Amino acid sequence: MEKLIDTHCHLNDDYFWGNAEEYINNFENDNLQYAFVVGYDFVSSKRALELAEKHENVYAIIGMHPSDAEKWNVEFEEFLTNNLPNKKVLALGEIGLDYHYENFSKQTQKQVFIKQLEIANKLGVPIVIHERDAVGDVVDILRQNKHLINNGGVVHCFNESVETYKIYKGFGLKFSFGGAITFKNSKNAPKLLAEVDVKDILLETDCPYLTPEPLRGKERNQPKNVFLVAKKIAEIKNMDLNELIKQTNKNVLSVFTKLKEI
Ligand SMILES: [Zn+2]
């Protein structure tokens, strides 16, 4: 079978830190080609970089998550500017807006999001967007800053309406799907995925969160479970599983263009 790529995982999370290598050393057996470790603040971005520099099958994505926007400072900005050109750093992320928890300033989130769009554009790298309960404002910011969106990117854990899919697609973005689409109560996912072009789909786990069915509630998520996500999408789209994986891998190369340089 075609090897899988987990385009969004958090082996840099405290849950994995200390034994992340055990998982990475198993990638070969788990039929995983690559995992992209995504940063959400300074510490996690440095950890992502550390793993990427040590392991051939790991790449880093570095950035400041909206829920950590208050931690933005000059040092982090310099860190991004210095490290985004690294050949093992694929993109700037995860960035965006998250209004799920009300204790984070919307104003700060917006400023830090826009600042990172500017940096990504200046350095010519794609972006990875995190958006939760904030779709209206994310779309507004993308519209107002259209001139900064020139290098593509991915909306991660995508589970919005078909209309929203079309709007994001208009900005040249692609979409990664994770464990949430396998949940038994997910009524939206089958409807949405039926409409999403297979050329727009990437696979992710967002581990250690969002364990897919049938493992949900039984164990913490890990990169190899990206297989369960692929299986579910192939089922919904009535596609051969191997063909689906092949196509999603092609899509990965089309967004994260540095992979081609290797
Ligand atoms: Zn994430």
Side-chain angles (χ1 to χ4, degrees):
M1 202 201 328
E2 200 75 15
K3 285 192 174 172
L4 288 145
I5 303 176
D6 183 357
T7 66
H8 191 117
C9 73
H10 296 291
L11 290 173
N12 48 354
D13 186 279
D14 280 345
Y15 171 75
F16 288 114
W17 203 246
N19 58 359
E21 332 269 17
E22 279 174 40
Y23 291 87
I24 296 167
N25 293 335
N26 259 326
F27 281 2
E28 194 86 32
N29 294 331
D30 294 339
N31 197 38
L32 281 170
Q33 187 169 16
Y34 300 117
F36 305 162
V37 178
V38 184
Y40 40 89
D41 63 1
F42 208 159
V43 172
S44 60
S45 293
K46 277 195 262 190
R47 285 177 176 179
L49 190 59
E50 190 184 322
L51 290 177
E53 286 190 321
K54 249 196 256 171
H55 302 278
E56 224 178 305
N57 45 9
V58 174
Y59 283 82
I61 292 168
I62 56 175
M64 189 70 81
H65 188 284
S67 302
D68 293 283
E70 306 275 353
K71 296 186 197 165
W72 181 267
N73 58 25
V74 178
E75 287 74 32
F76 188 70
E77 188 174 340
E78 277 172 16
F79 169 81
L80 286 182
T81 312
N82 292 337
N83 290 291
L84 282 165
N86 186 317
K87 64 179 175 141
K88 294 297 302 271
V89 178
L90 297 178
L92 203 169
E94 49 189 304
I95 61 174
L97 302 176
D98 191 326
Y99 294 169
H100 189 70
Y101 303 102
E102 278 170 12
N103 46 338
F104 300 111
S105 151
K106 290 185 180 178
Q107 200 47 41
T108 310
Q109 289 192 32
K110 286 181 188 172
Q111 285 166 354
V112 169
F113 183 26
I114 295 168
K115 182 86 207 167
Q116 292 182 101
L117 290 177
E118 286 167 0
I119 295 171
N121 185 53
K122 201 168 142 202
L123 296 173
V125 296
I127 49 174
V128 173
I129 294 181
H130 167 101
E131 173 269 304
R132 192 173 184 194
D133 299 342
V135 68
D137 280 2
V138 169
V139 168
D140 279 352
I141 286 180
L142 294 180
R143 281 192 174 131
Q144 286 155 12
N145 297 278
K146 209 172 182 314
H147 60 289
L148 299 176
I149 323 290
N150 297 305
N151 304 290
V154 175
V155 186
H156 112 92
C157 261
F158 188 66
N159 199 8
E160 299 281 352
S161 66
V162 175
E163 289 67 37
T164 304
Y165 158 65
K166 287 178 184 161
I167 294 171
Y168 281 137
K169 191 177 159 80
F171 291 100
L173 299 169
K174 299 208 181 282
F175 304 82
S176 62
F177 293 88
I181 63 152
T182 69
F183 296 174
K184 286 173 187 136
N185 59 0
S186 178
K187 292 196 176 68
N188 186 55
K191 271 191 288 180
L192 169 66
L193 274 160
E195 298 296 322
V196 173
D197 188 332
V198 70
K199 291 192 174 121
D200 289 331
I201 298 175
L202 279 69
L203 309 171
E204 66 160 276
T205 61
D206 205 19
C207 67
Y209 314 104
L210 299 169
T211 307
E213 293 289 359
L215 303 174
R216 190 181 189 202
K218 294 182 189 123
E219 53 184 75
R220 296 299 289 269
N221 203 4
Q222 57 168 303
K224 74 170 179 185
N225 292 337
V226 74
F227 172 74
L228 296 170
V229 176
K231 219 173 112 211
K232 183 71 185 182
I233 296 176
E235 227 173 85
I236 294 174
K237 294 200 80 66
N238 199 16
M239 271 183 84
D240 174 71
L241 178 59
N242 211 36
E243 283 308 308
L244 174 85
I245 298 171
K246 240 191 232 173
Q247 181 61 52
T248 56
N249 286 347
K250 257 192 217 166
N251 304 340
V252 170
L253 287 173
S254 79
V255 182
F256 300 109
T257 51
K258 272 192 204 171
L259 271 181
K260 287 180 195 159
E261 293 171 14
I262 306 301

